[in-house]
Amino acid sequence: MTSALRQKVKVQPGGLIEIRSPELIAGSQADVIVLVDSDRSEGARTGQVAELNAVLRRTQGLPAAREITEQEIAAEIAAYRATRR
């Protein structure tokens, strides 16, 4: 039987969350779902946005993927099929 346990916790340094309850039996399996109050996570969101912007800047500097022709695709398929025999 599945049961639910709801607890408000404060996230500790390093993103650590600790949950203690007499309802939690040692050795049992549990699925944990973390819901973060959006007003309290604004600083974390700002960091994530900055990280995403950095990744986007790096990827925008990469050379564009070149288009391949139908002939190249057919040649790759033929080469693959030749190795499967």
Side-chain angles (χ1 to χ4, degrees):
M1 179 169 93
T2 301
S3 62
L5 170 67
R6 182 176 187 149
Q7 235 179 64
K8 287 284 186 181
V9 297
K10 184 173 184 179
V11 179
Q12 299 172 13
L16 181 66
I17 296 173
E18 187 173 325
I19 300 172
R20 293 177 186 261
S21 173
E23 298 174 49
L24 299 173
I25 300 167
S28 62
Q29 294 286 320
D31 291 321
V32 178
I33 299 172
V34 178
L35 304 173
V36 180
D37 292 341
S38 60
D39 58 330
R40 294 184 185 175
S41 64
E42 193 61 38
R45 185 175 300 129
T46 301
Q48 291 172 336
V49 169
E51 184 179 337
L52 175 61
N53 285 334
V55 169
L56 292 175
R57 277 193 298 279
R58 284 194 306 270
T59 57
Q60 287 171 350
L62 296 174
R66 69 176 186 88
E67 291 185 24
I68 59 175
T69 65
E70 292 291 326
Q71 294 163 339
E72 290 173 311
I73 294 171
E76 284 187 32
I77 292 171
Y80 174 78
R81 287 181 178 162
T83 62
R84 301 286 292 174
R85 295 180 185 174

